[in-house]
């Protein structure tokens, strides 16, 4: 289910890309600078919108990279505009497009490490379930919530995207 | 991975239960009524805190129920206090405790329907990935964000909970 989850993250990032358009449209109706969204935050000691977008992007990118052992491109976290955030999101979607199900063979038993874990490690299975998936949705939903809190016209359908509904 | 995800949802709900304690502690330091949190929201046309908690609880409960074909208890969505929200969260954790891995055999190919889907259906696999998991984290993170926005002293570690870190 690792590959299927990466596909779902890709879908959610494509939705996030549309929220950026909605933010820009809202700013235009209210005649303020759309890039003002980049620095908005829900609490003074929380990450701003740009960092939430970067966090969602990085969590998806590093999840795919760490579970497969493939290198991920480093990115500078220097985005200051909605256009640059669009580019960041698109670059990660493109990176994730390069994976297929077979890349994730053996992912569960890979040994995952991070500098902040001070020498300790997690199995791929634990890292995926306890760290990557919750963190991805944490940053994605905070990005959504910051826009929603500030009046952008998005709703649950824009969060979920199209569902694979079919006739019974 | 269905059962493992239900276990992760249970872990996240236990973290949510601790955020309720943190909200109560913060209210006491500021000398306001802790139950005031129940009605707070990030936008006037978004669900308030209580409904976000109910949403996280219901999404986890119904995910387990629908993927296994086991009945879920109905709940009234009548919580008006943090104590009642504690009870709601605990009741769902207890419900999820009743599942084991074998209950989820065949989950991927179950036919899932909901009244709001107007007669259409989803496979268990699609429902899980496109609907249940994203919705669970949506409501969970909104509950977190509402508290965080209003000054409650919680952080990313309170969101993730303990990680299965081990020596290399």
């Amino acid at each position: 289910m690792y590959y299927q989850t990466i596909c779902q993250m890709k879908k959610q990032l494509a939705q996030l890309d549309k929220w950026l358009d909605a933010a820009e449209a809202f700013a235009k109706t209210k005649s303020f600078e759309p890039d003002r969204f980049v620095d908005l935050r829900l609490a003074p000691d929380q990450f701003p919108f740009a960092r939430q977008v970067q966090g969602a992007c990085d969590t998806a990118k590093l999840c795919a990279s760490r579970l497969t052992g493939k290198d991920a491109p480093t990115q500078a976290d220097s985005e200051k505009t909605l256009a640059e955030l669009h580019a960041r999101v698109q670059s990660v979607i493109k990176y994730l497009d390069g994976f297929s199900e077979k890349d994730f063979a053996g992912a569960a038993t890979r040994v995952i490490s991070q500098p902040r874990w001070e020498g300790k490690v997690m199995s791929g299975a634990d890292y995926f379930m306890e760290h990557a998936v919750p963190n991805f949705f944490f940053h994605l939903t905070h990005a959504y919530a910051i826009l929603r809190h500030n009046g952008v016209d998005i709703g649950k359908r824009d969060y979920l995207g199209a569902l694979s509904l079919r006739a019974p």
Side-chain angles (χ1 to χ4, degrees), chain A:
Chain A
M1 204 170 289
Y2 299 114
Y3 174 65
Q4 286 75 14
T5 302
I6 292 295
C7 291
Q8 178 65 23
M9 289 179 174
K10 206 163 61 175
K11 175 184 172 183
Q12 302 272 184
L13 289 173
Q15 293 306 118
L16 165 55
D17 206 43
K18 294 176 190 169
W19 311 340
L20 298 174
D21 292 332
E24 186 167 0
F26 177 71
K28 285 185 175 164
T29 65
K30 293 283 189 181
S31 303
F32 67 84
E33 170 52 57
D35 294 333
R36 206 176 288 168
F37 279 111
V38 170
D39 292 321
L40 295 182
R41 55 186 99 216
L42 290 179
D45 56 344
Q46 244 194 346
F47 285 136
F49 181 71
R51 190 68 196 83
Q52 303 290 355
V53 174
Q54 292 158 0
C57 286
D58 272 3
T59 308
K61 178 182 77 176
L62 294 172
C63 179
S65 168
R66 288 174 177 145
L67 289 180
T68 61
K70 291 190 170 192
D71 285 341
T74 54
Q75 291 169 299
D77 293 342
S78 57
E79 291 87 356
K80 300 283 181 208
T81 66
L82 292 181
E84 288 170 330
L85 290 176
H86 269 301
R88 176 73 170 256
V89 171
Q90 287 298 332
S91 78
V92 175
I93 290 173
K94 191 175 170 191
Y95 173 72
L96 297 178
D97 275 338
F99 290 84
S100 64
E101 181 136 27
K102 65 176 169 29
D103 293 323
F104 293 86
T109 54
R110 278 189 181 272
V111 176
I112 313 293
S113 59
Q114 279 201 43
R116 75 176 63 174
W117 294 345
E118 298 173 347
K120 295 201 173 168
V121 301
M122 292 179 84
S123 70
D126 289 340
Y127 159 75
F128 172 80
M129 189 63 81
E130 300 179 13
H131 194 275
V133 172
N135 267 327
F136 174 76
F137 284 106
F138 182 89
H139 292 297
L140 181 79
T141 304
H142 271 86
Y144 175 98
I146 290 170
L147 298 184
R148 196 69 172 68
H149 177 64
N150 285 285
V152 176
D153 185 24
I154 51 176
K156 179 65 86 65
R157 287 183 186 201
D158 302 297
Y159 172 77
L160 289 179
L163 299 178
S164 298
L165 293 166
R166 57 173 172 81

